[in-house]
Amino acid sequence: MGTGTVVGFLTGLSKLSISGQIYVESIAIWALLGSIILIPISYCETLISKVVRMQPKEYIKAFISTKASKLYVASLVLLYIFAIGGIQLSGIDAVVTTSINKIVSLEFNELQRYMYIVIPVIIILITIILKNRQSIFLRILVTMVILSFSTYLLSFFIFLYKTQEYIPIFVERIIIGFKNPVSVLFGIPLGLIFGLQRVIQIAEPGLGTLALASMKSNAKPREAALISSILTTVLIVISVLVTSYIASYGLSEGIINFSVNGYEKLVSYFDTIISVTGKFGILILFTFIALSALTTLLGGYLVLINVANFNVKNNYIVYVGLLILGGALSVFNVELVFLLLEILLFISTSINIMALAMFTEFEWKKYKIRNLEIRKVA
């Protein structure tokens, strides 16, 4: 939720545009079609994890191999701290510079953005981690993110109301883009691949993090799986509709330009919202993006300590090192972060889904439901 949703869609729209698709709004349908495939996976990975009482790295080791488990852990840590962390820092960078520019008409160069925005955020995160206050901050931040997300939705409804004449145009562009891909041979596969990538980036089905989180709860297997799939569905639908509509309007008004780099595309997306909602939009964007980014960045540390077998000192070293590298690239070469993000998404989801498939094919008969309890057959 937050920057990853926006950045993911802008990246997908850019790629469709580069591939020759004029009506890039069709990414909305491709993402929704992708969710038909991935939402059941979010249900299955949570259910299976609860049934076998193993977190993803454990059932990957059991159902595939130790090497696959180690590769999964490495890719997941790199994904969450370095790649997704870099994207979140890019989001904070973009929303802070946009807010400063709109309020006091001041612009920063790349070095200033890194020194005065990214570095202070990293220092705050390191301080929280070193004082072992990440769990407390996360609980506070999650509550604040939910509140700010509600106001973000409110700002979208205001945006929708003020641009209601564009709604039929948006729907028409979606339909035309979906019915007329660049070519049947390449357009449909590309659209579906981009849609799947956006869904994974939005709600993380297939990555194993839903299963990892479920192991911390006392919910029964099917209850936990249902909760995961409902949350995934709601987040996907809302994110797809909100981001694709705002981006489409920005394109039609000439505010968003796909020929610029990732940072500037993100700034232009924020400019689109502000152009309609005004100063209220600045406040909402700043709050929502900053809080959701901080939550994700701290969540990356929790992923690290839950999946890696490092001692406390090495956890600090890995987290800080990857965060500094991701932060530097988020300012000076954010396109490389996007590329590595997609590679790491592919590696993590492929291994996790392969393990789920292996369980379904060879292991599921060893488990039965008796008296509402999961028991392994002798």
Side-chain angles (χ1 to χ4, degrees), residues 13-235:
L13 291 168
S14 298
K15 289 183 176 180
L16 280 178
S17 178
I18 292 170
S19 69
Q21 178 65 272
I22 297 175
Y23 298 101
V24 293
E25 292 82 357
S26 62
I27 190 67
I29 292 185
W30 289 121
L32 293 175
L33 286 176
S35 68
I36 294 175
I37 299 171
L38 290 172
I39 289 173
I41 290 177
S42 71
Y43 181 92
C44 292
E45 66 180 345
T46 304
L47 179 67
I48 291 172
S49 184
K50 294 288 283 187
V51 166
V52 299
R53 296 184 178 91
M54 299 179 189
Q55 61 169 282
K57 71 172 184 179
E58 294 169 341
Y59 65 63
I60 290 171
K61 180 179 179 180
F63 303 149
I64 304 181
S65 68
T66 301
K67 289 183 179 179
S69 178
K70 290 181 179 179
L71 178 59
Y72 170 79
V73 169
S75 63
L76 198 67
V77 168
L78 286 170
L79 174 66
Y80 267 87
I81 302 175
F82 167 70
I84 294 179
I87 296 299
Q88 300 303 323
L89 289 170
S90 175
I92 292 177
D93 177 21
V95 77
V96 170
T97 52
T98 301
S99 301
I100 292 174
N101 179 258
K102 297 297 181 183
I103 295 172
V104 297
S105 300
L106 182 65
E107 294 186 3
F108 292 161
N109 59 36
E110 287 184 342
L111 182 59
Q112 289 172 325
R113 284 162 40 207
Y114 182 67
M115 294 300 297
Y116 301 139
I117 299 173
V118 174
I119 290 297
V121 172
I122 292 176
I123 291 174
I124 291 171
L125 291 168
I126 293 173
T127 303
I128 293 172
I129 297 301
L130 289 177
K131 289 183 175 294
N132 199 29
R133 295 290 186 270
Q134 63 272 7
S135 297
I136 297 173
F137 272 85
L138 272 172
R139 284 196 291 269
I140 297 171
L141 285 171
V142 166
T143 301
M144 295 177 71
V145 166
I146 292 172
L147 293 174
S148 64
F149 182 65
S150 301
T151 56
Y152 178 66
L153 286 180
L154 174 62
S155 69
F156 171 68
F157 288 125
I158 294 173
F159 187 98
L160 199 65
Y161 175 75
K162 290 188 174 183
T163 61
Q164 55 187 295
E165 71 282 350
Y166 184 73
I167 296 175
I169 299 173
F170 171 65
V171 174
E172 182 182 15
R173 291 177 69 88
I174 285 179
I175 295 172
I176 293 175
F178 182 70
K179 290 171 63 178
N180 297 283
V182 177
S183 71
V184 174
L185 182 60
F186 297 107
I188 292 177
L190 279 177
L192 188 56
I193 289 170
F194 294 156
L196 289 168
Q197 288 175 337
R198 301 296 74 80
V199 171
I200 295 172
Q201 195 168 342
I202 290 169
E204 304 172 10
L207 277 176
T209 50
L210 291 168
L212 180 63
S214 73
M215 296 305 293
K216 303 293 183 181
S217 75
N218 295 321
K220 295 178 181 178
R222 294 190 184 279
E223 291 174 351
L226 185 60
I227 291 170
S228 293
S229 58
I230 290 174
L231 290 175
T232 301
T233 303
V234 172
L235 188 56

Side-chain angles (χ1 to χ4, degrees), residues 227 249 253:
I227 291 170
Y249 181 82
E253 294 296 309

Side-chain angles (χ1 to χ4, degrees), residues 266-311:
L266 191 54
V267 169
S268 65
Y269 177 85
F270 295 154
D271 285 338
T272 302
I273 298 175
I274 294 169
S275 69
V276 176
T277 59
K279 291 184 178 180
F280 174 74
I282 297 177
L283 176 63
I284 296 305
L285 275 174
F286 184 88
T287 305
F288 174 57
I289 296 298
L291 290 177
S292 59
L294 285 172
T295 304
T296 304
L297 288 164
L298 286 173
Y301 182 73
L302 293 186
V303 170
L304 172 65
I305 63 178
N306 275 282
V307 302
N309 295 320
F310 301 137
N311 58 37

